[in-house]
Amino acid sequence: MKKELTSIKQTRLNTILDEATKLLIKKPNASMHEIAESAGIGIATLHRYVESREQLMIFLGLRAIEVVSETMKEIRLDEENCETFIPELIEALIPLGDKIYFLAHDAAVNYNREIEEEDQKLREPVLRAVGLLQQKGYFRQNVDKNWIVNVLYSLLFLTWQQVVDGDIAKNSAAALVVDTFYHGFKRH
């Protein structure tokens, strides 16, 4: 991210970034003072880790990519049995809905080339899986893969938000997303 930090400082920065992400989803125009307060630190401490709001936003994007990437490394895309990839991905990524939302919606993040390149790397296996599923007839082939992945990301964020708010039970969330993603709201 910045210069090399000791593991203790990096852990502290990650905690600050995670708290900032939560606040900025609820209040996108939160001030640096509000961000520091939300993280349980003073503004001077926040500025020891980040020099400006712009730098904070870049760090938030890089943190989101780091967390999502680590989670996705655990999910293997087997092209013969690609049907299992999306449900496994959904199960793993629902708890990271705030990070996915931040990557998909924050304008400052979307104008940073490094973050855009890393985000594209994250999307590659998902796009590949969607393409395979289109070939197998699970999804219409005339729908752009990027659209399908963006819908999936939106569902993941919405589900995360509903779980956090207590509107959806955590243990049934993944099944609900998988069913909605594959079948929409039509009656079976």
Side-chain angles (χ1 to χ4, degrees), residues 59 81 92 123 148-149 172:
F59 282 7
N81 298 305
R123 287 174 174 258
I148 294 171
V149 171
S172 64

Side-chain angles (χ1 to χ4, degrees), residues 25-169:
I25 286 172
K26 292 177 186 169
K27 187 176 181 185
N29 61 345
S31 70
M32 292 292 276
H33 285 281
E34 290 170 312
I35 291 167
E37 186 177 300
S38 175
I41 58 174
I43 189 70
T45 301
L46 178 60
H47 282 295
R48 279 196 283 275
Y49 288 94
V50 295
E51 296 167 9
S52 65
R53 184 178 181 86
E54 292 76 27
Q55 187 182 49
L56 173 67
M57 300 311 273
I58 291 169
F59 282 7
L60 289 171
L62 292 171
R63 173 71 177 150
I65 286 170
E66 173 190 0
V67 171
V68 172
S69 178
E70 285 300 313
T71 300
M72 286 182 66
K73 283 180 186 173
E74 303 298 317
I75 305 164
R76 197 171 78 70
L77 174 58
D78 175 4
E79 295 193 9
E80 293 293 315
N81 298 305
C82 61
E83 298 85 358
T84 63
F85 182 79
I86 297 292
E88 288 177 27
L89 184 73
I90 288 169
E91 179 80 39
L93 292 183
I94 287 173
L96 306 180
D98 58 340
K99 306 287 190 272
I100 290 166
Y101 178 85
F102 190 81
L103 285 174
H105 293 92
D106 189 85
V109 167
N110 293 327
Y111 294 112
N112 181 286
R113 195 172 82 202
E114 179 184 2
I115 292 172
E116 285 179 354
E117 289 170 1
E118 292 300 316
D119 185 45
Q120 192 56 42
K121 287 180 193 174
L122 279 178
R123 287 174 174 258
E124 285 174 10
V126 185
L127 289 165
R128 178 81 181 123
V130 167
L132 291 167
L133 291 166
Q134 284 177 311
Q135 290 172 12
K136 289 186 172 193
Y138 285 90
F139 302 123
R140 295 188 338 232
Q141 289 190 7
N142 66 339
V143 176
D144 181 66
K145 290 185 285 192
N146 285 297
W147 168 253
I148 294 171
V149 171
N150 286 334
V151 167
L152 175 61
Y153 278 17
S154 295
L155 278 172
L156 288 168
F157 170 70
L158 179 62
T159 304
W160 168 81
Q161 196 173 43
Q162 294 287 297
V163 168
V164 168
D165 291 346
D167 296 329
I168 296 176

Side-chain angles (χ1 to χ4, degrees), residues 3-16 49 63 66:
K3 55 190 173 223
E4 287 298 313
L5 298 173
T6 65
S7 66
I8 293 171
K9 285 187 176 182
Q10 187 63 55
T11 300
R12 182 95 189 259
L13 174 60
N14 289 345
T15 300
I16 292 167
Y49 288 94
R63 173 71 177 150
E66 173 190 0

